[in-house]
Amino acid sequence: MQKLQCISPIDNSVYVERPLATDYEIQNALNNAQRAQLGWKQVPVAERAALVRAAVNILQRKKAELAREICWQMGRPIAYAGGEIDGLAERALYMAALAESPEGPLSDIQLPEKPDFRRFIRREPLGTAFVIAPWNYPYLTAINAVVPALLAGNSVILKHSAQAPLCAERLVEAFAEAGVPPGVFQYLHLDHRDAEQMVINGGVQHVAFTGSVAGGAAVETAAAGRFLSVGLELGGKDPAYVRADADLEYAVASVVDGAFFNSGQSCCGIERLYVHRDLYSEFVQRSVALIYKYRLGRPDETETTLGPLVRASAADFVRDQIDEALAQGAQAHIDGSEFALDRRGSAYMAPQLLTNVNHSMRVMSEESFGPVLGVMPVSDDAEALALMNDSEYGLTAAIYSADEQAALAMGDQLQTGTVFLNRCDYLDPALAWTGVKNSGRGCTLSGVGFEHLTRPKSFHFKLRP
């Protein structure tokens, strides 16, 4: 029997081992999902929302336990891991309230009166949603797709990363304990081949994938010809720009946190930075001082503020980007020897800030997904805008400025799914989460997100023949 193994980045031990689903189990899950969805879509939205709230309460009660599992599965410092459950609650509860609101996105669309006719548009669920979730924020990324799909009346099958299998199990357990009917929400532990076959041959009507560009392309290829609804969130190389009028102290703290939280393993983390020349030198100086305050260590120790990357190969990928940039003339500002656990071949990696960088370097163009930040000086908004748009990605972009109108003018020209002013690396569930270019397509969260989980059905009644 094939098995899934979660190797903890803390000490390279096998933290979780599970058998992969058999062909019979996969087909049984699909059959159960299809049957259960027929009844689930008849459940009033208010009742679905109440069940979501009950499941969230269960997860919140288990926050300490879930935080320990997050820490051991993917390496986030225990000091921060529980915050993910708080974020899950914020998103799920907002979407539940939105779904059941009288004029909300799941309500019938009423048209102007026409004598002797009744006309309206109803939103119907698609059927079964197949959610493929990553390890970096294992609960947040999953909940973005799972909860709206359930609220819309779909059944859900969750396939989580092999690095975070317990997260799938805990989510399904919580919703089952809350009273969600059997078959409505299930998980399967799958390898890539079986996940692909689920899309090609299975009875799913929507696929929500969060992961790499290559993974997203594989999903699109598998879905070709099946006329599926597909949502792809594929990461980014997100920029930030610090204008001359920015609050320097605030911008330094926000950008550094946005670049190095979760060891830089965030699809919307800051990976490249442009600073107005008037602030550039002081910005770099203050940032370096702040970065040196991070404590690289075992994430299960409460003093640790920077944990390991998910695996040694991921850390060495980032180290290779840095070494290549240094060979091309970049300047490193952080001495890795100040971080005792940092060594090549290990998942434990010191943070790094680079200057004298440019867009010919991989570290400024290729997604790093690690604790490194390249910084370039710019002369004005036009130069910053050109550099921010010079990327194959477009998930988020952050501007730091006291001038809202200037930021809005830039925002209209930025090729990105979200524009931030004076913040970064955050998902507001009231806003559409989407990307452009190689950051994917589709949308989760907000009222707009429900449009991707339902289909319109028109009713045209002539009342007097």
Side-chain angles (χ1 to χ4, degrees):
M1 177 180 290
Q2 287 186 301
K3 291 187 177 181
L4 168 157
Q5 283 191 334
C6 169
I7 308 298
S8 175
I10 293 180
D11 58 5
N12 290 320
S13 63
V14 177
Y15 181 64
V16 181
E17 189 171 70
R18 292 287 189 270
L20 293 174
T22 64
D23 291 343
Y24 170 80
E25 289 169 332
I26 293 170
Q27 190 57 53
N28 192 50
L30 287 165
N31 293 342
N32 289 339
Q34 183 178 18
R35 285 193 295 266
Q37 194 269 333
L38 297 175
W40 178 244
K41 72 176 184 178
Q42 303 300 326
V43 175
V45 175
E47 291 184 26
R48 295 182 216 149
L51 290 170
V52 166
R53 283 190 285 270
V56 169
N57 288 336
I58 291 167
L59 291 165
Q60 287 179 305
R61 291 200 303 268
K62 298 178 179 179
K63 183 168 78 169
E65 174 189 352
L66 300 180
R68 285 192 297 272
E69 292 177 351
I70 291 171
C71 174
W72 274 90
Q73 286 176 104
M74 55 74 60
R76 184 173 313 133
I78 192 65
Y80 308 129
E84 183 159 354
I85 307 306
D86 297 331
L88 175 154
E90 178 191 22
R91 296 180 191 182
L93 295 178
Y94 177 85
M95 295 302 287
L98 182 63
E100 65 180 346
S101 58
E103 302 299 325
L106 296 179
S107 301
D108 292 346
I109 301 171
Q110 302 294 340
L111 301 178
E113 288 189 12
K114 184 178 180 180
D116 298 331
F117 288 91
R118 185 185 177 205
R119 302 170 302 158
F120 62 95
I121 302 169
R122 179 157 288 168
R123 288 286 184 180
E124 287 209 331
L126 297 176
T128 298
F130 182 33
V131 176
I132 305 174
W135 50 265
N136 61 319
Y137 283 93
Y139 284 101
L140 289 178
T141 53
I143 216 67
N144 287 353
V146 168
V147 160
L150 291 174
L151 289 167
N154 299 288
S155 56
V156 174
I157 297 176
L158 173 61
K159 181 256 183 239
H160 222 305
S161 165
Q163 198 65 43
L166 292 182
C167 298
E169 297 178 13
R170 301 294 180 253
L171 283 170
V172 171
E173 288 169 1
F175 279 79
E177 184 179 341
V180 171
V184 171
F185 183 24
Q186 306 167 82
Y187 70 84
L188 288 171
H189 295 311
L190 304 171
D191 59 19
H192 292 312
R193 183 194 70 83
D194 284 336
E196 182 180 49
Q197 289 301 310
M198 284 269 291
V199 180
I200 295 172
N201 301 320
V204 301
Q205 288 70 49
H206 175 74
V207 182
F209 173 84
T210 304
S212 67
V213 173
V219 169
E220 284 206 321
T221 299
R226 293 207 57 236
F227 310 112
L228 294 180
S229 166
V230 176
L232 306 172
E233 202 268 86
L234 307 180
K237 190 72 181 175
D238 289 4
Y241 168 42
V242 180
R243 298 183 79 240
D245 65 345
D247 181 319
L248 182 61
E249 182 177 3
Y250 174 84
V252 167
S254 179
V255 169
V256 168
D257 180 68
F260 297 103
F261 187 81
N262 205 37
S263 298
Q265 299 170 123
S266 173
C267 56
C268 60
I270 300 301
E271 292 212 359
R272 50 197 175 101
L273 174 65
Y274 310 99
V275 182
H276 193 278
R277 292 184 185 278
D278 292 350
L279 302 181
Y280 177 76
S281 294
E282 188 174 358
F283 191 100
V284 170
Q285 181 181 356
R286 291 191 182 200
S287 296
V288 169
L290 184 56
I291 292 167
Y292 269 119
K293 293 181 179 179
Y294 280 93
R295 184 187 185 281
L296 177 65
R298 284 180 57 114
D300 56 340
E301 297 174 354
T302 56
E303 301 83 5
T304 294
T305 56
L306 189 71
L309 274 71
V310 68
R311 61 184 67 89
S313 60
D316 282 347
F317 174 84
V318 182
R319 291 184 178 104
D320 289 344
Q321 284 187 333
I322 293 170
D323 290 346
E324 184 178 298
L326 295 175
Q328 294 173 321
Q331 179 182 355
H333 289 262
I334 303 298
D335 180 359
S337 67
E338 295 291 322
F339 297 83
L341 292 184
D342 175 42
R343 66 182 185 279
R344 182 170 286 276
S346 162
Y348 290 88
M349 177 184 171
Q352 186 56 268
L353 185 142
L354 300 173
T355 58
N356 293 341
V357 292
N358 59 64
H359 283 206
S360 70
M361 300 174 180
R362 287 196 302 139
V363 77
M364 293 298 285
S365 62
E366 181 180 69
E367 187 172 27
S368 299
F369 226 61
V372 59
L373 179 63
V375 189
M376 294 175 61
V378 294
S379 299
D380 53 30
D381 291 355
E383 184 181 5
L385 184 64
L387 288 168
M388 294 171 87
N389 282 339
D390 182 27
S391 174
E392 65 185 55
Y393 295 100
L395 189 57
T396 78
I399 301 167
Y400 290 82
S401 173
D403 190 334
E404 181 183 352
Q405 291 306 309
L408 184 59
M410 288 191 71
D412 282 336
Q413 300 179 70
L414 282 167
Q415 299 164 3
T416 188
T418 296
V419 180
F420 291 112
L421 174 62
N422 296 324
R423 77 175 315 170
C424 64
D425 193 26
Y426 178 77
L427 275 71
D428 184 330
L431 295 172
W433 187 244
T434 186
V436 300
K437 298 189 279 191
N438 279 1
S439 285
R441 64 182 177 89
C443 171
T444 57
L445 303 178
S446 80
V448 179
F450 281 113
E451 296 177 11
H452 296 259
L453 295 162
T454 56
R455 64 170 60 88
K457 186 175 187 177
S458 295
F459 288 77
H460 192 166
F461 288 7
K462 186 175 182 179
L463 303 180
R464 295 180 179 83

